[in-house]
């Protein structure tokens, strides 16, 4: 079954509004990564969080990793049309298999 | 971006054809991956290679055959595909497959007719 759940699947906002996507794992993750895929493009790595409760910022983007290392969120403040795309979370489970578990992604549409 | 390069970018093939997808990474990474991305489905991991050794085959049909001749190159050989195999095929690489992020190529948009 799906190891990493991500909600919402779709989000439509007006430019200037905030946006948040949530990621939940059924098991503890050793790290959480976030990727962005523009329409017609490929996933591009944004950031990785490793520590429990870690918070990182990239300009208008704020990434959080939960205390239990099972959930994460990406928050965008004052969205712009350039933020359009699908945001994926992904995480390793700390096993030697090395599989990276991806969420289904949240497709963000920003109206001007 | 030139870190991970995939060719061709687009491919249309008949069900009886044989074709190959190519991936090359210039990042010095040790692991390479093939993913399948279909509409409205999550990214599906197909194969994982670590130091040129296949370490994972995620129940992929035998009509998909990967090859990793060295740590910089990865191929996906295709034969007798089905229309439902039409998708975006993404190659990725990472330094350490157990902890590091994946860097993706631009993908091959495959259409099986």
């Amino acid at each position: 079954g799906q190891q990493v759940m991500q909600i919402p699947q779709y989000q439509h906002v007006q430019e200037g509004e905030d946006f948040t996507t949530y990621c939940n794992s059924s098991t503890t993750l050793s790290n959480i990564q976030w990727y962005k895929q523009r329409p017609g493009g490929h996933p591009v790595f944004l950031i990785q969080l490793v520590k429990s409760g870690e918070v990182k910022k990239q300009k208008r983007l704020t990434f959080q990793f939960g205390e239990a290392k099972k959930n994460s969120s990406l928050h965008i403040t004052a969205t712009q049309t350039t933020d359009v795309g699908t945001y994926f979370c992904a995480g390793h489970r700390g096993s030697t298999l090395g599989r990276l578990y991806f969420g289904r992604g949240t497709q963000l549409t920003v109206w001007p | 971006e030139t870190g991970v390069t995939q060719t061709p970018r687009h491919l249309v093939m008949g069900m009886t054809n044989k074709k190959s997808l190519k991936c090359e990474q210039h990042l010095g990474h040790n692991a390479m991956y093939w993913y399948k991305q279909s509409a409205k489905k999550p990214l599906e991991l197909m194969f994982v290679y670590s130091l040129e050794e296949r370490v994972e085959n995620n129940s992929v049909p035998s009509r998909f055959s990967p090859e990793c001749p060295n740590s910089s190159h990865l191929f996906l050989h295709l034969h007798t595909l089905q229309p439902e195999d039409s998708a975006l095929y993404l190659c990725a690489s990472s330094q350490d497959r157990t902890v590091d992020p994946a860097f993706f190529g631009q993908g091959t948009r495959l259409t099986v007719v």
Side-chain angles (χ1 to χ4, degrees):
Chain A
Q2 185 70 20
Q3 303 287 344
V4 174
M5 303 297 294
Q6 193 174 348
I7 57 170
Q9 190 172 352
Y10 303 96
Q11 185 76 59
H12 307 277
V13 300
Q14 193 151 19
E15 191 172 20
E17 293 181 338
D18 292 355
F19 159 76
T20 305
T21 173
Y22 301 91
C23 187
N24 288 285
S25 169
S26 54
T27 58
T28 302
L29 299 171
S30 59
N31 61 40
I32 194 80
Q33 299 164 7
W34 286 91
Y35 296 79
K36 176 183 179 181
Q37 185 172 19
R38 295 181 185 274
H42 59 283
V44 175
F45 171 69
L46 294 177
I47 206 163
Q48 176 169 284
L49 296 91
V50 177
K51 299 177 183 177
S52 170
E54 189 171 10
V55 178
K56 286 188 176 181
K57 292 190 176 184
Q58 285 181 351
K59 297 183 180 179
R60 295 178 293 103
L61 279 62
T62 302
F63 304 85
Q64 294 187 345
F65 198 11
E67 293 290 340
K69 301 182 76 171
K70 286 187 176 182
N71 57 72
S72 181
S73 65
L74 158 59
H75 179 82
I76 302 179
T77 303
T79 55
Q80 299 175 358
T81 54
T82 53
D83 296 325
V84 165
T86 301
Y87 293 84
F88 294 94
C89 64
H92 285 101
R93 293 174 63 182
S95 74
T96 56
L97 285 177
R99 174 182 286 221
L100 190 58
Y101 291 88
F102 276 88
R104 282 180 172 268
T106 296
Q107 187 175 319
L108 173 65
T109 304
V110 180
W111 295 327
Chain B
E1 297 177 21
T2 59
V4 182
T5 305
Q6 285 187 246
T7 55
R9 294 289 307 278
H10 302 272
L11 178 63
V12 179
M13 61 185 289
M15 289 189 284
T16 59
N17 291 160
K18 288 185 180 181
K19 295 287 184 182
S20 295
L21 309 184
K22 179 182 176 182
C23 177
E24 183 174 1
Q25 58 102 355
H26 309 276
L27 301 170
H29 288 168
N30 293 320
M32 296 188 75
Y33 316 81
W34 280 115
Y35 284 87
K36 177 183 178 183
Q37 188 175 41
S38 306
K40 301 183 179 181
K41 283 189 176 182
L43 278 165
E44 299 174 60
L45 178 63
M46 301 175 72
F47 301 103
V48 180
Y49 276 83
S50 179
L51 296 172
E52 304 156 43
E53 178 184 352
R54 189 192 309 181
V55 295
E56 188 164 350
N57 176 346
N58 195 24
S59 302
V60 179
S62 59
R63 57 186 183 268
F64 295 91
S65 175
E67 178 190 1
C68 187
N70 56 61
S71 59
S72 298
H73 293 86
L74 186 65
F75 294 89
L76 187 62
H77 304 299
L78 316 171
H79 63 98
T80 59
L81 294 191
Q82 304 298 312
E84 59 265 28
D85 295 323
S86 298
L88 181 66
Y89 288 85
L90 292 159
C91 173
S93 71
S94 66
Q95 181 60 40
D96 183 324
R97 62 187 175 88
T98 62
V99 296
D100 288 325
F103 290 84
F104 287 84
Q106 294 174 303
T108 296
R109 174 68 62 185
L110 173 67
T111 304
V112 181
V113 296

